[in-house]
Amino acid sequence: MNSGSDLVRVRFAPSPTGPLHIGGVRTALYNYLFARKHGGQMLLRIEDTDQNRFVPGAEEYILEALQWVGIQIDEGMGVGGPDAPYRQSERKDIYSKEAQRLVEEGKAYYAFDTPEELDEMRKRLEAANAPAAQYNAITRMQMKNSLTLKPEEVQARVDAGEPYVIRLKTPRKEEVRFNDLIRGWVNVHSSAIDDKVLLKSDGLPTYHLANVVDDHLMRITHVIRGEEWLPSAPLHVLLYRYLGWEDTMPKFAHLPLLLKPEGNGKLSKRDAEMGGFPVFPLEWRDPFSGVVARGFREDGYLPEAVINFLALLGWNPGTEQELFTMDELIQSFSLDHIHKAGARFDIQKANWFNHQYLRQRPNEELAPVLQKQATEQGLDCSLEKATKIVGLLKERVNFAHEMFGEAGTFFYSPEQYDEAVAATKWNEDAVRAVTVFREALQGYEGQFAADSIKHLLSDALQQAGIKQGKVMQAMRLALTGSGAGPDLMITMEIVGKEEVMNRLNLALQRLKAPVS
């Protein structure tokens, strides 16, 4: 069904079994970038065939997470389209029809084995040291299925409503091969593939049947998914062959794993808990336990930073460029530059990206965050004041919510003074400088802006014969209690003339007079 059209169509098909993992967001991103790069379309499909694992709210979470990071869906859940429905539990009849066709064509079969009988088979094979305790081309002939039972008995069991599954009839001696766009040719002998269940006893398909049928009917041209699905890919290739769709089979690309921060093993929720960082795009409250899992959004990460961070986890543009807008990612993206090896999840790099994008945000956009925090602490902070503070502090933090922690000097007089700076810089010249500046301020009636303050201070020190470079750290000490910090002139403009004078007086009172 894909033939006759060059339109690239990809899909992201998560299961609503809980919050979407950040690795799933990366998979969605790579699909999105590939589709946009080639002028194609991206579908969102919900694979909810395992009803026992369905979690309320998970579908809504997936949609919100993709929207937050800026991944736009062209067709599917939340959008609609010509191939609806896009929720697999609503497509049961479609899968059942294809499964029955495979049975009729001798490529699949009914299996009536009970869980106890299956368990007994596995124990028997393990006791015999069989290479794999599987339901396969050899062991199926010892089990209770439509290959070993007479046709009339099979029909009688089905008519009686006896539970059954439909299993794929895997060939005994065939090569199954496909060319993965990231890993090259993959060859598997059919003896290594077991007779997977295609249709469960509740009438719902397994992932294997459903994803192949849906990808075909929805004209998917490229299946870009995680490495964990690579072992299942030969089975899916076999299914395309059996269903008569091999000529229109999509191309496969299996993405590298996201690894633990130390690079050893697959990234897990426990790694995040131990390392103090999120692995979900948004905060998630478990509807059953009430336990809350952290989200990148709620932790203060900007969506463009998350996208940039994820894009470079497994993909390399081939240049030194690190900062990419979404449009730049689309232009640069290529499956050829995706690594085969796993990508180490370095949260410090994510923080660095957030810092870069925070610096680019307009001060006016970040100011309400600081204003809200100040107000919650009972402090008077106008939006104008917050905007000025943000302009000084956003270069010094990784997250917007960290600015208030750095903003104390704009709201409070110093309670203490840096002893090391005081010991070396608080001398007679410093005392004279603070004194003459205070006096200059007392008689100043002009606009209290950074440029005016700079000239006033410079003139006062020059008239007193004091070299400005020798006393500026002491001046900062008097005003902020520290020997370093953001632009001192703008700091004074923000705190205001009366407060500056108050702090200069306090410093003259509190700091020990230098010994001659």
Side-chain angles (χ1 to χ4, degrees):
M1 286 183 72
N2 298 342
S3 59
S5 172
D6 294 328
L7 179 65
V8 166
R9 281 169 67 86
V10 301
R11 74 342 185 240
F12 180 53
S15 298
T17 54
L20 178 63
H21 191 275
I22 200 68
V25 179
R26 187 195 63 166
T27 298
L29 174 63
Y30 283 0
N31 274 279
Y32 179 72
L33 296 177
F34 184 79
R36 289 292 181 270
K37 173 72 177 282
H38 296 282
Q41 297 171 337
M42 178 166 173
L43 284 69
L44 175 63
R45 201 168 66 215
I46 295 295
E47 305 209 331
D48 62 342
T49 55
D50 191 346
Q51 290 291 291
N52 293 326
R53 297 179 62 213
F54 175 79
V55 175
E59 281 187 24
E60 293 79 5
Y61 180 97
I62 292 165
L63 289 167
E64 187 179 353
L66 295 180
Q67 184 179 36
W68 178 65
V69 295
I71 294 175
Q72 299 171 338
I73 301 302
D74 301 303
E75 181 182 327
M77 292 298 296
V79 180
D83 296 307
Y86 295 94
R87 186 182 289 111
Q88 287 188 336
S89 60
E90 297 174 4
R91 299 170 62 85
K92 281 175 60 173
D93 293 346
I94 298 171
Y95 311 127
S96 180
K97 176 186 169 187
E98 297 299 342
Q100 293 297 337
R101 177 162 72 87
L102 288 174
V103 171
E104 290 164 10
E105 294 176 2
K107 297 165 183 171
Y109 58 93
Y110 298 115
F112 301 95
D113 315 283
T114 64
E116 293 76 20
E117 288 167 337
L118 292 170
D119 191 47
E120 179 59 36
M121 176 201 75
R122 281 189 284 269
K123 289 178 180 176
R124 189 169 66 247
L125 291 171
E126 287 167 1
N129 293 319
Q134 295 178 328
Y135 205 122
N136 57 25
I138 297 173
T139 57
R140 66 190 176 209
M141 300 312 295
Q142 301 156 20
M143 303 302 289
K144 195 165 62 181
N145 53 56
S146 57
L147 301 177
T148 59
L149 301 172
K150 292 179 179 180
E152 53 270 25
E153 184 177 348
V154 171
Q155 192 60 52
R157 287 174 180 268
V158 172
D159 292 344
E162 185 173 331
Y164 68 84
V165 298
I166 292 180
R167 288 182 179 272
L168 181 71
K169 187 181 177 184
T170 310
R172 286 192 64 170
K173 296 179 180 179
E174 280 190 29
E175 281 291 330
V176 181
R177 64 198 304 261
F178 67 97
N179 189 12
D180 189 281
L181 296 175
I182 295 171
R183 297 161 194 283
W185 282 100
V186 176
N187 296 280
V188 176
H189 195 272
S190 63
S191 61
I193 305 173
D194 58 330
D195 289 8
K196 282 280 191 287
V197 172
L198 302 179
L199 203 71
K200 296 177 288 187
S201 57
D202 61 4
L204 284 170
T206 57
Y207 169 82
H208 306 296
L209 177 65
N211 98 89
V212 167
V213 170
D214 285 346
D215 285 346
H216 173 73
L217 295 178
M218 295 179 186
R219 303 169 302 289
I220 300 302
T221 60
H222 296 77
V223 171
I224 304 169
R225 60 188 179 187
E227 182 183 306
E228 62 270 22
W229 291 111
L230 186 59
S232 299
L235 169 67
H236 300 162
V237 172
L238 196 57
L239 266 171
Y240 278 107
R241 185 186 303 174
Y242 273 13
L243 288 163
W245 303 333
E246 195 169 16
D247 290 345
T248 59
M249 183 174 71
K251 295 175 180 176
F252 292 99
H254 288 89
L255 306 174
L257 293 174
L258 292 187
L259 303 178
K260 298 172 184 287
E262 62 271 22
N264 181 25
K266 185 178 178 182
L267 179 70
S268 69
K269 183 180 175 182
R270 178 166 171 75
D271 296 319
E273 291 170 351
M274 297 287 287
F277 59 85
V279 287
F280 302 118
L282 316 176
E283 186 177 272
W284 167 261
R285 180 180 294 276
D286 188 285
F288 305 115
S289 67
V291 173
V292 175
R294 294 166 64 170
F296 273 84
R297 181 178 67 183
E298 288 72 18
D299 270 20
Y301 290 88
L302 301 171
E304 55 267 43
V306 174
I307 283 297
N308 209 148
F309 170 60
L310 291 178
L312 295 173
L313 279 180
W315 170 77
N316 188 313
T319 67
E320 295 300 311
Q321 183 177 349
E322 286 193 284
L323 295 177
F324 291 83
T325 64
M326 186 72 91
D327 285 342
E328 288 171 334
L329 284 173
I330 290 167
Q331 292 304 313
S332 305
F333 188 74
S334 167
L335 292 176
D336 297 339
H337 285 206
I338 292 179
H339 315 147
K340 295 178 186 176
R344 188 170 65 88
F345 195 84
D346 181 3
I347 197 65
Q348 297 307 319
K349 193 66 177 179
N351 295 347
W352 180 84
F353 275 116
N354 211 63
H355 175 70
Q356 302 305 316
Y357 284 103
L358 188 69
R359 292 169 58 198
Q360 296 177 17
R361 284 284 174 102
N363 297 340
E364 293 77 11
E365 190 177 319
L366 297 172
V369 177
L370 181 70
Q371 184 187 36
K372 181 174 182 289
Q373 288 178 298
T375 303
E376 287 172 352
Q377 295 299 315
L379 298 169
D380 183 27
C381 182
S382 67
L383 201 56
E384 181 186 4
K385 180 176 180 177
T387 303
K388 289 179 180 179
I389 296 173
V390 164
L392 286 180
L393 296 183
K394 69 179 183 181
E395 297 276 348
R396 307 167 70 87
V397 297
N398 290 330
F399 301 95
H401 62 75
E402 292 176 340
M403 289 188 293
F404 183 73
E406 300 285 324
T409 191
F410 302 104
F411 297 102
Y412 305 106
S413 299
E415 290 292 326
Q416 53 190 20
Y417 300 87
D418 188 308
E419 292 181 4
V421 176
T424 57
K425 300 296 181 180
W426 192 255
N427 50 34
E428 288 183 8
D429 281 346
V431 173
R432 284 179 59 222
V434 168
T435 302
V436 299
F437 182 44
R438 180 191 62 181
E439 290 169 353
L441 285 171
Q442 284 176 332
Y444 179 70
E445 298 295 337
Q447 183 182 11
F448 200 69
D451 286 344
S452 304
I453 299 167
K454 183 177 181 180
H455 288 120
L456 183 69
L457 175 60
S458 178
D459 291 347
L461 295 180
Q462 190 173 3
Q463 288 174 19
I466 302 169
K467 291 184 178 179
Q468 188 167 335
K470 290 189 174 183
V471 296
M472 284 310 294
Q473 199 171 9
M475 188 68 69
R476 180 182 292 278
L477 179 73
L479 290 165
T480 69
S482 172
D487 187 292
L488 189 60
M489 303 305 148
I490 301 177
T491 298
M492 286 193 275
E493 176 187 325
I494 293 170
V495 301
K497 176 184 168 184
E498 296 304 319
E499 178 61 17
V500 168
M501 291 175 62
N502 175 51
R503 293 185 186 190
L504 295 177
N505 284 327
L506 284 174
L508 290 171
Q509 294 169 20
R510 292 175 176 175
L511 286 165
K512 291 181 180 179
V515 178
S516 301

